[in-house]
Amino acid sequence: MGKSIIEKIWDQHIVNEEENKPDLLYIDLQYIHEVTSPQAFEGLRLKGRTVRRPDRTFATMDHNVPTVNRYFIEDDIARKQLDALDQNCKEFGIRLADLDSPEQGIVHVIGPELGLTQPGMTIVCGDSHTSTHGAFGSIAFGIGTSEVEHVLATQTLWQTKPKTLKLEVNGQLGHGVKAKDVILYVIAKFGVDFGTGHIIEYCGEVFRDMSMEERMTVCNMSIEGGARAGLVAPDETTFSYLKGRKYVPKGEEFERCVQDWKSLSSDQDAVYDQEIILDGSLISPMVSWGTNPGMASGVDGKVPTFAEEIIDSKELDRALAYMGLKEGMAITDIPVQHVFIGSCTNSRIEDLRQAAEMIDGQEVHKGVRAMVVPGSQRVKRQAEEEGLDEIFKSAGFEWRESGCSMCLSMNPDAVPSGEHCASTSNRNFEGRQGAGARTHLVSPAMAAAAAIHGKFVDIRKFKQAEQVH
Amino acid sequence: MEPITLYKGRAAVLDRNNVDTDQIIPKQFLKRIERSGFGEFLFYNWRFDEEGKKRPDFELNQPQNQNTSILIAGENFGCGSSREHAPWSLKDYGFDIVIAPSYADIFKSNCMKNGMVPVALTPSEVKHLMEAASAPDYELTIDLPNQTLRDDQGFEASFEIHPYWKEMLVKGWDEISITLQYDKAISAFESRTKAASTI
């Protein structure tokens, strides 16, 4: 029987295998950020332990970072957390992309940019969106702080082998339908826990045709479907993205790596615990209307009604009350007061290009506050070189410094209570973007269009949507 | 970590599905650099209104749910963010055990690292317990070594837990010190694979 890429990578990383124990799995790379690491370093200090592989650990500052004047941190506790990361990295000899670094940015944006994330690796971070790195054909998953400490000390984790799920999407996506719409469609269809206990392999034409940025968007949201990790087998798209990046092997060694990486692809006769096959041509641009990512509908659709019994009535009632929406209302009737283009899901250069193309000389709708928060300093510089910042600014968008920003509003960027935000982030949980904030998850193109129109619009109806695709 | 074997306590009911870790501990409380002191912020936006007053309609503010140490909740409990602050806040508030039909993977793992048992029962068993728990003096007993849960009225259910995690919890072991005993195996792995090189 053949093996899937998931089993191949897993098996290559087993340090110890014995009865009645999970596998002791080697971790190739750990990313660190300020919010989920201080207690882990403190744990090491209390026990007099060291970091086993500082050379396989990389830190950045992203969650708490202000996006306007980044050196002016009003919140004392947030500053203390950033200072703690700085001190911990110095004490344990870990590379840190701090606020002064041209490499600073959201951990899941900079890792791939720097070429740290490579195919076949096991990668962890104290952040559930670590699944992003699966786009390169690695097993990458989020962990808690105790596990962060465990990996710092031992470079391993005790893990039971997850089940495998093959998610195949075939056909061609329609004009204006993006990677974000594909993953939101999947989660809306199968629920926020369909992937629990599994690693997803995304297969089929739709993912093959995607750029690395688009694959990252899809893998990023695996966790919103309950799967700790999701991946795409590496191919020429992956290799050409990686070639020449800072931490990627060069010259002949790169060619050797490519040969290795090619062998990771799932065997023809690989067997999965679950298989799902979908037709990509049926997917519309998506908008979430509720309080979890599964509560989403096509932009041409409606908020569900109680009579339809699609969602438990108590849950629907609570979601509609929080969101201030009525059952059965058209998605295009939802007003939008805020637009956030950013987050580890959609803040890369392609995402910003996608949003900028929708603007096409138009201006942000009266009463809408719109902002673009590039995922990293590198993305910001590149966007500025391409003149995207000017397109955004002249349309009335705010152009910010890089960080997690309004995805979870740990920094000062937040949506006021009761107001609606079209957001390219990953979670529409209650209070995520601020107490009482009403989040609607969309693609960057849909978010830009909502900024211009002050409500959700079906971008397939616009001519420029065809150019974007 | 405190060992857990036989545990007896009263249960609070939170009959909601897909409770995410953003609700369990909202982001504004993640900036602390300690592991302790998160209990007062548990379910903060559900427990308190904008003025910091308790919301009387929230389950944990209701009289029958006071002085409880077991939390019974709906399916997919702990979904979303990987923040270990979620089990830290539950534990610090006073919950040592959670009972639900299913859990998000990262949350489940985080619980076990903190001496908390995420007991998974069938949906009908959980429904039964949710109805029974509102009675005053209703108590549940969790027998971790035997993987059973029972009340004083004849209800008994068994639950699954990986033998490795059970041993960790029952003995209250420090996992890192166990793993450090595999140092030779880890070093051997590092010398025979790509892990020999730096990144």
Side-chain angles (χ1 to χ4, degrees):
Chain A
M1 194 178 77
K3 279 183 178 180
S4 69
I5 178 172
I6 301 164
E7 293 165 286
K8 288 184 190 180
I9 299 173
W10 191 274
D11 291 351
Q12 284 174 10
H13 288 83
I14 296 175
V15 172
N16 183 76
E17 214 174 359
E18 60 189 289
E19 216 180 320
N20 282 336
K21 277 210 166 90
D23 294 333
L24 186 61
L25 199 70
Y26 195 80
I27 303 302
D28 289 316
L29 177 64
Q30 172 159 234
Y31 291 115
I32 300 278
H33 65 81
E34 74 272 22
V35 177
T36 57
S37 66
Q39 294 88 351
F41 285 110
E42 187 57 22
L44 291 183
R45 264 193 293 270
L46 287 171
K47 297 267 167 106
R49 290 169 177 152
T50 56
V51 175
R52 186 179 180 95
R53 296 297 299 265
D55 60 325
R56 288 183 169 260
T57 311
F58 194 97
T60 189
M61 297 173 167
D62 55 8
H63 282 63
N64 276 337
V65 177
T67 56
V68 183
N69 182 353
R70 58 203 333 234
Y71 295 104
F72 182 63
I73 303 172
E74 280 183 273
D75 183 342
D76 283 342
I77 313 174
R79 194 174 44 233
K80 213 169 142 191
Q81 211 168 43
L82 292 168
D83 290 346
L85 181 64
D86 188 43
Q87 283 159 18
N88 287 329
C89 287
K90 282 196 180 103
E91 182 180 339
F92 292 98
I94 294 167
R95 289 162 290 181
L96 168 66
D98 64 11
L99 295 181
D100 293 324
S101 168
E103 294 175 350
Q104 182 273 344
I106 305 174
V107 63
H108 309 308
V109 175
I110 68 164
E113 271 179 0
L114 290 168
L116 287 159
T117 294
Q118 294 168 22
M121 282 183 167
T122 47
I123 301 172
V124 296
C125 175
D127 190 287
S128 61
H129 292 111
T130 307
S131 58
T132 310
H133 306 269
F136 291 81
S138 62
I139 293 182
F141 54 95
I143 56 178
T145 299
S146 295
E147 289 173 314
V148 171
E149 184 180 340
H150 193 281
V151 176
L152 287 172
T154 70
Q155 207 61 28
T156 63
L157 279 176
W158 294 96
Q159 292 285 305
T160 47
K161 202 171 188 169
K163 292 187 179 129
T164 55
L165 192 162
K166 182 180 186 181
L167 201 154
E168 191 175 318
V169 186
N170 296 312
Q172 297 284 313
L173 297 178
H175 291 305
V177 179
K178 313 293 180 188
K180 182 67 159 286
D181 303 309
V182 175
I183 190 64
L184 279 172
Y185 174 84
V186 169
I187 299 166
K189 200 170 172 70
F190 300 103
V192 289
D193 59 356
F194 80 95
T196 303
H198 292 76
I199 294 181
I200 301 173
E201 181 180 354
Y202 296 98
C203 305
E205 254 177 294
V206 163
F207 304 115
R208 280 287 132 237
D209 290 347
M210 283 183 181
S211 65
M212 289 316 298
E213 281 87 347
E214 291 174 302
R215 292 178 189 178
M216 285 190 254
T217 298
V218 170
C219 291
N220 172 277
M221 289 190 70
S222 302
I223 186 66
E224 309 323 327
R228 236 175 146 171
L231 56 77
V232 179
D235 58 10
E236 291 305 325
T237 307
T238 323
F239 310 143
S240 63
Y241 178 98
L242 287 169
K243 195 170 185 178
R245 291 194 183 259
K246 186 171 176 182
Y247 292 100
V248 174
K250 309 277 182 302
E252 276 179 32
E253 210 197 326
F254 179 74
E255 296 310 320
R256 269 198 301 277
C257 286
V258 168
Q259 289 316 308
D260 266 7
W261 295 337
K262 280 181 177 168
S263 69
L264 291 169
S265 289
S266 295
D267 298 330
Q268 288 284 323
D269 54 346
V271 177
Y272 298 79
D273 293 295
Q274 260 199 79
E275 290 193 35
I276 294 173
I277 301 176
L278 296 170
D279 177 357
S281 68
L282 301 176
I283 302 172
S284 306
M286 299 289 290
V287 179
S288 76
W289 51 263
T291 52
N292 71 45
M295 294 175 171
S297 159
V299 65
D300 47 353
K302 289 176 168 26
V303 173
T305 62
F306 288 93
E308 287 167 339
E309 295 185 351
I310 301 169
I311 287 171
D312 171 74
S313 64
K314 247 187 353 185
E315 275 178 71
L316 180 58
D317 190 39
R318 231 180 344 245
L320 294 184
Y322 181 84
M323 295 299 291
L325 301 176
K326 290 195 175 65
E327 60 166 326
M329 74 185 280
I331 296 292
T332 47
D333 286 342
I334 300 173
V336 171
Q337 294 95 17
H338 297 263
V339 172
F340 169 62
I341 297 174
S343 88
C344 59
T345 314
N346 281 126
S347 64
R348 298 179 182 84
I349 190 68
E350 274 200 9
D351 299 314
L352 304 194
R353 287 180 193 143
Q354 195 189 105
E357 283 193 60
M358 289 306 300
I359 293 171
D360 194 32
Q362 301 168 87
E363 282 180 12
V364 170
H365 197 267
K366 195 166 169 277
V368 174
R369 179 197 184 203
M371 66 161 86
V372 183
V373 182
S376 68
Q377 288 296 299
R378 189 179 305 255
V379 169
K380 182 168 185 268
R381 283 193 301 274
Q382 191 176 345
E384 288 169 355
E385 278 163 25
E386 294 179 17
L388 301 183
D389 61 322
E390 286 306 323
I391 296 176
F392 286 119
K393 284 190 281 193
S394 56
F397 283 81
E398 296 171 33
W399 179 249
R400 298 291 189 93
E401 298 288 343
S402 53
C404 297
S405 178
M406 215 194 256
C407 172
L408 82 170
S409 300
M410 276 192 79
N411 75 346
D413 308 336
V415 176
S417 183
E419 299 194 3
H420 294 264
C421 179
S423 178
T424 66
S425 56
N426 40 57
R427 288 187 176 134
N428 49 343
F429 295 152
E430 287 182 33
R432 176 90 178 172
Q433 295 191 296
R438 294 163 170 168
T439 305
H440 301 275
L441 306 175
V442 287
S443 72
M446 282 288 289
I452 289 155
H453 295 271
K455 63 192 184 80
F456 293 107
V457 290
D458 191 340
I459 59 171
R460 292 172 298 186
K461 292 178 182 162
F462 299 133
K463 193 169 154 277
Q464 60 266 37
E466 291 170 27
Q467 295 160 1
V468 171
H469 186 70
Chain B
M1 211 161 74
E2 288 289 307
I4 298 184
T5 48
L6 203 64
Y7 188 92
K8 196 166 186 171
R10 290 189 62 239
V13 176
L14 184 64
D15 185 10
R16 303 186 186 208
N17 293 334
N18 303 314
V19 172
D20 59 77
T21 53
D22 272 80
Q23 306 316 314
I24 297 175
I25 180 85
K27 72 319 185 77
Q28 62 267 37
F29 307 113
L30 305 184
K31 293 172 188 169
R32 299 160 56 90
I33 55 174
E34 300 86 18
R35 279 177 197 256
S36 56
F38 290 98
E40 58 182 304
F41 310 120
L42 177 73
F43 293 118
Y44 192 85
N45 295 342
W46 284 354
R47 266 166 74 204
F48 303 103
D49 64 18
E50 291 79 11
E51 283 141 31
K53 291 203 190 84
K54 280 189 179 177
R55 295 181 195 269
D57 55 342
F58 178 57
E59 290 88 330
L60 294 191
N61 288 337
Q62 292 165 355
Q64 72 275 17
N65 286 329
Q66 304 312 303
N67 303 315
T68 52
S69 62
I70 299 168
L71 181 67
I72 310 176
E75 65 185 38
N76 196 31
F77 189 75
C79 60
S81 157
S82 60
R83 58 190 71 169
E84 196 163 317
H85 311 67
W88 292 339
S89 60
L90 285 162
K91 183 104 178 160
D92 194 51
Y93 182 88
F95 292 121
D96 297 313
I97 310 270
V98 186
I99 300 170
S102 58
Y103 299 90
D105 292 332
I106 306 176
F107 175 80
K108 188 172 153 187
S109 160
N110 283 342
C111 280
M112 295 187 291
K113 308 276 177 181
N114 288 281
M116 286 176 70
V117 190
V119 176
L121 299 179
T122 67
S124 63
E125 287 166 343
V126 172
K127 191 165 178 281
H128 171 85
L129 292 179
M130 282 185 173
E131 284 161 10
S134 59
D137 305 327
Y138 182 81
E139 284 196 317
L140 286 170
T141 303
I142 287 99
D143 180 342
L144 183 57
N146 289 309
Q147 299 175 219
T148 59
L149 177 145
R150 61 176 185 273
D151 65 10
D152 300 328
Q153 299 164 5
F155 173 86
E156 184 161 339
S158 60
F159 58 90
E160 293 294 319
I161 183 167
H162 193 286
Y164 172 82
W165 294 117
K166 185 165 90 175
E167 192 175 19
M168 285 287 158
L169 288 163
V170 167
K171 295 186 173 153
W173 277 342
D174 165 32
E175 197 187 15
I176 295 177
S177 55
I178 304 286
T179 312
L180 288 173
Q181 295 170 14
Y182 290 79
D183 184 55
K184 268 189 189 161
I186 300 170
S187 296
F189 181 93
E190 284 175 326
S191 57
R192 75 179 141 85
T193 65
K194 284 184 182 169
S197 63
T198 60
I199 302 174

